[in-house]
Amino acid sequence: MFAAKNFLFAGGPIRILGAAYLVVAGGGGGGKSAATGRGGGGGAGGYLLSSGVTFVSNTLYTITVGAGGTGGYLGNGSNSSITGFTAAVGGGGGGTGTNSPDQRDGQNGGSGGGAADFAGSGIAGLGTSGQGNNGGTGVDVPPAYGAGGGGGASATGANGTSSKGGDGGNGTASSITGSSVTYAGGGGGATYSTSGTVGAGGSGGGGAGGSFGSSTAGVSGTAGRGGGGGGGTDTTNAGNGGSGIVVISYPDTYPNAASTTGSPTFANTGGFKIYTWTGSGSITF
């Protein structure tokens, strides 16, 4: 590692130009119904990718990596951020089918959670502008009674139908780490009968929904991708949301960072130095 003095010019700090960052928040947990009903898929964590960013040497930047939300009830994911820049918003938890209307709604977040299957009362969660998309709605129509899928970074969660739960919205691919990886997919909605099909998780770490008829639990979102968890039912668990990630990349004409915390991985490839955090920490250039 280079010492901090390698970033000094004429006795003062310098600007590190041409940098980029990726910030993905924790995905929302899928909804689990407390009474007869099927839960919506969790929304993906907010997705922020920015290039042409400038960092300053001798400055501590705190990195926060959001945890995924807990599958069940109102399980929003946690925010991820780099100090001095806009935070990515945690994904919205999936809607839950119960006898209380406010417990049937998908939650707002980076991407919104899908609605549970109650007809006319379940509201899909809304995504945050520039970070994600809305969840899908659910239907109270046999045999599947499909709940809505959670929104993803690049697509809205699909609506549930009489034959299946809604698929989670697809995420977005980025090559900031040196290879293409898709992040922030929404969770799939749950279904009722064995003749119904569970909602698939969106590309980018979304978990598939569960099924009452086959006693299948919702699948958790992928850690480090910010995927939403799959919805559960009144007899099966919902999946947890996947944790987020933070990546900083800058031209390799600049020295290595003076210090880091949080044990980020480091790569020097394609003309860029790349630090990746899957847990909270910091960096000083």
Side-chain angles (χ1 to χ4, degrees):
M1 286 291 183
F2 288 82
K5 65 182 180 181
N6 289 313
F7 271 98
L8 297 179
F9 180 76
I14 64 169
R15 290 154 60 87
I16 298 90
L17 306 177
Y21 65 75
L22 171 68
V23 181
V24 179
K32 174 179 168 58
S33 295
T36 303
R38 275 55 60 187
Y47 175 98
L48 289 173
L49 177 68
S50 185
S51 59
V53 176
T54 299
F55 291 98
V56 179
S57 65
N58 301 334
T59 300
L60 174 70
Y61 294 91
T62 299
I63 307 297
T64 301
V65 176
T70 302
Y73 173 60
L74 305 184
N76 282 33
S78 299
N79 296 353
S80 293
S81 63
I82 306 171
T83 52
F85 300 91
T86 302
V89 179
T96 58
T98 71
N99 295 322
S100 176
D102 65 349
Q103 294 179 0
R104 297 174 184 168
D105 296 341
Q107 299 299 293
N108 299 337
S111 284
D117 61 45
F118 283 84
S121 61
I123 299 173
L126 303 178
T128 300
S129 177
Q131 297 193 18
N133 290 278
N134 301 340
T137 59
V139 296
D140 193 29
V141 180
Y145 301 93
S154 67
T156 299
N159 297 336
T161 70
S162 61
S163 61
K164 73 185 299 292
D167 295 339
N170 286 333
T172 299
S174 170
S175 297
I176 190 172
T177 60
S179 60
S180 181
V181 179
T182 303
Y183 303 91
T191 62
Y192 177 74
S193 69
T194 54
S195 61
T197 304
V198 300
S203 63
S211 169
F212 175 90
S214 61
S215 298
T216 302
V219 178
S220 293
T222 303
R225 301 283 187 89
T233 73
D234 57 321
T235 60
T236 64
N237 290 327
N240 299 325
S243 57
I245 192 169
V246 172
V247 183
I248 292 176
S249 170
Y250 61 93
D252 64 5
T253 51
Y254 295 99
N256 292 1
S259 65
T260 62
T261 65
S263 301
T265 61
F266 173 75
N268 190 341
T269 182
F272 292 91
K273 295 184 176 182
I274 304 162
Y275 292 86
T276 301
W277 288 263
T278 54
S280 298
S282 68
I283 186 169
T284 301
F285 293 99

